[in-house]
Amino acid sequence: MIKIILPDGSTREYEKGVKVYDVTKDISEGLARVALGAVVNKEIKGMQESIYEDSTFKVVKFEDYEGRQIFWHTSAHIMALAVQRLYPDVKFAIGPAIDNGFYYDFDTEHRFAPEDLEKIESEMKKIVKENYVLERYEMPRGEALEYFKNKNEVYKVDLIENLPPDEVISFYELDEFTDLCKGPHLYDIKKVKAIKLTSIAGAYWHGDENNKMLQRIYGITFEKKKDLDEYLERLEEAKKRDHRKLGKELELFSMQEEGPGFPFFHPKGMTLRNILENYWREEHVKRGYGEIKTPLILSEELWHQSGHWDHYKENMYLTKIDNSDYAIKPMNCPGSILIYKSNMYSYRDFPIRMGELGLVHRHELSGALHGLMRVRSFTQDDAHIYCLPSQVKDELKRVIDLADDMYNVFGFKYHVELSTRPEDSMGTEEQWDMAISSLREVLEEKEIEFVINEGDGAFYGPKIDFHLEDAIGRTWQCGTIQLDFQMPERFDLTYIDRDNEKKRPVMIHRTILGSIERFLGILIEHFAGKFPLWISPIQVSILPISDKFNDYSFDLMEDLKAQGIRVEVDNRSEKIGYKIREAQLQRIPYMLIVGEKEVENKLVSVRKIDDGDIGQMEVKSFVDRIMNEIQTKSI
């Protein structure tokens, strides 16, 4: 017999090998009807899978992240079966669930076009009506290899050959489609009611440009058509908010062929960026951070010492200087460490908080580049805190408070994840357990809900990640706090303790915005280019009705500029309606219409971007209004 521990702490006993479905049905028949699977000992399992040991057990539905992963993984198999029926020569690569749906990579002579997606969708709907049950079975490695070699499924053969020797090789069968797959999956496919295939892309096998380019089809499915309709509406809204489109229209930034993955910021974009960076500086000065700047290029030896060479070399750009090997920094921490080592500290000096807006370079595959969201050069709003072991929890709490304050200014809600030790890591089990416990205790003491993200920590320590939710419900991972016992050891960082002995400090790595470039991209999409007044590159546009009011308009512009307001005059010989539309398209928060009455009475007629005409007012009243809006960082 085995024990199953439910979320409320109650325990039930079952025979070893009991199915997830049977446990769920035993809890409640109603629950079994809506359940998609369960999280068993932190592993997602489908309803048809068995449990062989004492386990924690949580049933998941579509509204749960794990439930959607089961649902969308199964949907990838339904799509694969549809493609197999329509294009029998196809070879299959991989088909995972992702955060918003699923994809499958195919190798076929047929070049998929948008009209093919409709055919595949129709076939998928037909398959769902056939109401198949997914059958799971296992096979010895040799037999599995023989099976796929006979079918000429070269990608599945490659996958099996690269599996660890002790890996269980499992298959899922959906009608005539049999796939090498770990799962998890739905028990049957009748719950997949709403289907939409969204796009086609190219993808190299194993993400390696030297391998064959495959065709990737993306899709998404839901239990209800209403949910699919809402998702597609959000998708349309996301297209309108695309930061690449708005970045060009609002003259904020561009991407050039001569520098793929390296963004070019235009004057308006630099205004926005400088405001954001200055705000970052103000908040950090208030909290006792000193700002540093470290070189872009440092000796290769440094990166061996830090461990980046062993864990990150493929993402680094390398160069030679005077016949010696150097690397362009992919991270800022070793530079901060060298500044720390240039002095000798006493326990009285701690905590030491060093902040850096540090430009880093990382080699990303060309297919992964995406506007400001995925680039090859970006500025991390980094900071490294060196503290005594007794100060760790207080410093972590201060960083969490800083992140909360800064996110609230932009109106972001967020959730928190705690990421644990990855397979490729440094340090002892004891050090990792201590670090993970510290992060967990801080979150619990702050009464912050969090989810565990197993194995997604940095190679030198676990981390807390902040995932921001934007105006249309998408989430973006931005801030991170990493607790590190490794770097202080590798670089022999010390301080003199009160007993006059040398001790080792603890190092906290952290970013709040993540990267300036990516955060700007998120802001563009979050606000759809209609930035809050305090960060808007142009805050006020003065629109004279005709040329004879230009002098008054330019005098007014100088008065506003003198008070620190970012203002422009549209003195083109165009009709006022055209000028208003242009200012609206440029997302300028306030427009001041200047005509005869305004000049005679020293007034302005005020329009606000979302509110329209808000009437005439004296210039001083208008200035008082917007200065209050700027100073309070109103959104």
Side-chain angles (χ1 to χ4, degrees):
M1 301 295 286
I2 58 171
K3 289 182 180 178
I4 299 295
I5 304 165
L6 303 182
D8 63 1
S10 62
T11 301
R12 301 188 182 207
E13 289 196 350
Y14 300 94
E15 287 187 13
K16 186 181 289 191
V18 65
K19 303 276 188 190
V20 169
Y21 174 79
D22 293 324
V23 176
T24 308
K25 189 177 178 185
D26 186 46
I27 296 168
S28 158
E29 289 205 8
L31 183 62
R33 283 194 292 273
V34 297
L36 304 183
V39 178
V40 180
N41 278 350
K42 300 180 181 178
E43 183 182 351
I44 308 173
K45 286 185 177 289
M47 298 293 272
Q48 67 274 67
E49 293 186 64
S50 302
I51 308 170
Y52 295 98
E53 60 186 2
D54 293 349
S55 303
T56 56
F57 186 94
K58 183 184 84 167
V59 173
V60 293
K61 297 179 274 189
F62 190 84
E63 55 261 38
D64 300 302
Y65 169 81
E66 298 91 346
R68 291 192 296 275
Q69 291 293 292
I70 295 170
F71 197 89
W72 289 334
H73 192 171
T74 305
S75 300
H77 282 236
I78 298 171
M79 179 171 72
L81 172 57
V83 169
Q84 181 175 280
R85 286 182 176 182
L86 295 168
Y87 309 98
D89 73 323
V90 68
K91 292 183 179 62
F92 298 95
I94 57 169
I98 52 178
D99 284 345
N100 283 300
F102 58 90
Y103 68 78
Y104 215 116
D105 289 344
F106 302 105
D107 182 0
T108 171
E109 291 300 314
H110 178 79
R111 305 310 299 169
F112 290 123
E115 53 269 25
D116 293 321
L117 298 188
E118 293 180 21
K119 291 183 203 169
I120 299 167
E121 266 181 43
S122 296
E123 189 65 29
M124 288 175 72
K125 289 171 185 173
K126 182 180 164 190
I127 290 165
V128 169
K129 286 179 183 172
E130 293 166 11
N131 194 20
Y132 295 106
V133 171
L134 282 103
E135 301 287 348
R136 180 184 186 278
Y137 59 92
E138 296 173 7
M139 202 182 283
R141 177 182 293 262
E143 199 176 317
L145 279 169
E146 192 65 26
Y147 174 82
F148 280 119
K149 282 176 181 175
N150 288 339
K151 291 170 73 74
N152 199 26
E153 290 285 0
V154 292
Y155 302 103
K156 301 300 180 183
V157 170
D158 185 10
L159 289 170
I160 294 170
E161 287 176 342
N162 285 286
L163 287 174
D166 58 347
E167 183 81 9
V168 172
I169 299 176
S170 58
F171 293 76
Y172 280 83
E173 189 174 271
L174 179 64
D175 192 35
E176 69 264 34
F177 175 66
T178 300
D179 204 1
L180 170 74
C181 187
K182 188 177 180 182
H185 286 293
L186 298 173
Y187 175 74
D188 58 41
I189 59 175
K190 64 185 176 187
K191 287 187 171 74
V192 184
K193 302 287 188 189
I195 300 167
K196 182 66 180 176
L197 300 185
T198 52
S199 62
I200 305 163
Y204 292 108
W205 177 235
H206 290 316
D208 186 339
E209 295 173 359
N210 297 313
N211 288 337
K212 186 169 185 180
M213 172 75 81
L214 306 174
Q215 296 184 78
R216 176 173 294 179
I217 298 179
Y218 286 95
I220 195 160
T221 53
F222 291 91
E223 291 182 310
K224 299 172 186 171
K225 184 178 182 300
K226 173 178 72 72
D227 293 334
L228 174 60
D229 291 342
E230 288 174 2
Y231 172 80
L232 294 175
E233 281 177 26
R234 288 198 304 274
L235 217 55
E236 282 305 307
E237 181 62 28
K239 286 180 188 174
K240 294 177 195 170
R241 292 168 179 260
D242 190 320
H243 74 285
R244 296 167 298 178
K245 172 177 169 285
L246 290 174
K248 185 176 181 180
E249 291 174 2
L250 303 180
E251 300 173 31
L252 300 175
F253 74 93
S254 62
M255 308 303 290
Q256 307 289 343
E257 287 182 13
E258 293 81 357
F262 302 101
F264 290 70
F265 281 90
H266 298 209
K268 286 180 184 176
M270 279 306 298
T271 299
L272 178 60
R273 181 184 181 122
N274 287 336
I275 294 163
L276 184 63
E277 291 186 0
N278 289 338
Y279 168 60
W280 182 90
R281 287 189 172 96
E282 288 166 13
E283 294 303 310
H284 283 71
V285 167
K286 283 182 200 173
R287 292 166 174 82
Y289 286 80
E291 187 173 358
I292 62 172
K293 197 75 174 172
T294 62
L296 277 178
I297 300 175
L298 293 165
S299 166
E300 180 189 307
E301 285 304 311
L302 182 73
W303 305 102
H304 283 283
Q305 191 174 357
S306 69
H308 289 94
W309 194 264
D310 295 330
H311 299 269
Y312 214 75
K313 181 186 174 184
E314 67 277 6
N315 293 97
M316 294 170 66
Y317 293 110
L318 310 175
T319 188
K320 274 190 179 292
I321 303 174
D322 297 335
N323 294 318
S324 295
D325 294 318
Y326 285 77
I328 301 172
K329 66 176 179 179
M331 295 179 186
N332 296 304
C333 30
S336 170
I337 287 168
L338 293 182
I339 290 179
Y340 178 93
K341 283 179 71 71
S342 67
N343 205 342
M344 175 56 74
Y345 297 101
S346 156
Y347 69 94
R348 294 186 186 89
D349 299 316
F350 291 94
I352 296 165
R353 306 182 187 105
M354 297 183 190
E356 177 175 16
L357 292 168
L359 179 63
V360 299
H361 289 72
R362 299 179 185 176
H363 179 63
E364 299 282 357
L365 294 174
S366 57
L369 300 174
H370 181 78
L372 296 179
M373 303 302 193
R374 183 64 72 89
V375 289
R376 287 171 170 162
S377 70
F378 56 94
T379 301
Q380 285 188 308
D381 68 313
D382 242 330
H384 297 93
I385 301 168
Y386 304 87
C387 57
L388 307 176
S390 60
Q391 296 170 331
V392 167
K393 286 171 79 170
D394 283 343
E395 287 305 303
L396 291 171
K397 288 175 183 177
R398 285 190 179 96
V399 175
I400 291 170
D401 289 341
L402 172 57
D404 185 65
D405 288 347
M406 291 186 74
Y407 298 151
N408 285 336
V409 162
F410 299 101
F412 284 118
K413 298 174 186 173
Y414 61 87
H415 77 266
V416 171
E417 294 184 4
L418 172 57
S419 298
T420 59
R421 186 174 191 173
E423 288 183 19
D424 182 21
S425 62
M426 301 188 304
T428 65
E429 198 71 39
E430 184 183 6
Q431 288 172 324
W432 276 85
D433 288 346
M434 189 189 311
I436 292 167
S437 295
S438 297
L439 295 179
R440 184 193 296 272
E441 286 167 17
V442 165
L443 291 171
E444 288 170 350
E445 287 171 21
K446 295 282 292 178
E447 297 182 347
I448 295 172
E449 290 186 12
F450 63 95
V451 296
I452 300 289
N453 192 358
E454 294 287 355
D456 200 44
F459 66 84
Y460 46 78
K463 59 178 181 162
I464 292 170
D465 288 327
F466 295 85
H467 295 256
L468 307 192
E469 182 181 323
D470 71 11
I472 58 172
R474 297 170 302 178
T475 56
W476 307 89
Q477 195 269 305
C478 287
T480 186
I481 309 171
Q482 300 167 352
L483 191 53
D484 180 8
F485 293 93
Q486 307 305 319
M487 296 291 173
E489 279 192 13
R490 293 179 81 94
F491 284 92
D492 191 28
L493 303 189
T494 61
Y495 66 93
I496 304 300
D497 205 355
R498 61 183 75 235
D499 59 4
N500 274 337
E501 293 292 323
K502 281 188 175 182
K503 301 282 176 64
R504 189 90 63 211
V506 178
M507 190 173 175
I508 298 170
H509 308 244
R510 46 112 297 198
T511 65
I512 304 297
L513 306 180
S515 91
I516 298 295
E517 289 76 5
R518 188 164 178 271
F519 195 77
L520 286 171
I522 293 167
L523 287 183
I524 293 167
E525 299 202 0
H526 179 56
F527 292 114
K530 291 189 280 191
F531 300 111
L533 185 66
W534 71 279
I535 60 170
S536 185
I538 302 293
Q539 295 167 318
V540 178
S541 185
I542 302 171
L543 312 177
I545 288 174
S546 73
D547 292 351
K548 63 183 177 180
F549 307 118
N550 283 354
D551 288 346
Y552 177 82
S553 298
F554 280 105
D555 289 343
L556 178 57
M557 180 179 77
E558 292 307 318
D559 289 345
L560 297 181
K561 275 186 176 179
Q563 297 180 71
I565 296 165
R566 296 183 294 280
V567 55
E568 65 177 16
V569 174
D570 184 350
N571 65 334
R572 292 175 296 173
S573 298
E574 299 284 357
K575 291 182 179 179
I576 192 64
Y578 177 84
K579 291 183 181 182
I580 289 170
R581 282 193 300 277
E582 287 287 291
Q584 290 274 153
L585 287 172
Q586 285 297 302
R587 274 65 165 185
I588 296 170
Y590 282 98
M591 289 150 267
L592 302 182
I593 315 300
V594 174
E596 196 165 332
K597 286 182 183 176
E598 287 77 21
V599 172
E600 282 177 6
N601 300 300
K602 303 298 180 191
L603 300 172
V604 286
S605 285
V606 183
R607 289 184 66 88
K608 195 171 183 184
I609 188 165
D610 284 329
D611 300 339
D613 186 4
I614 58 176
Q616 286 185 335
M617 60 181 72
E618 293 179 346
V619 174
K620 183 179 182 307
S621 298
F622 171 70
V623 170
D624 289 345
R625 174 190 177 117
I626 69 167
M627 290 305 285
N628 179 64
E629 202 175 320
I630 291 166
Q631 286 159 9
T632 58
K633 296 182 171 60
S634 169
I635 56 169

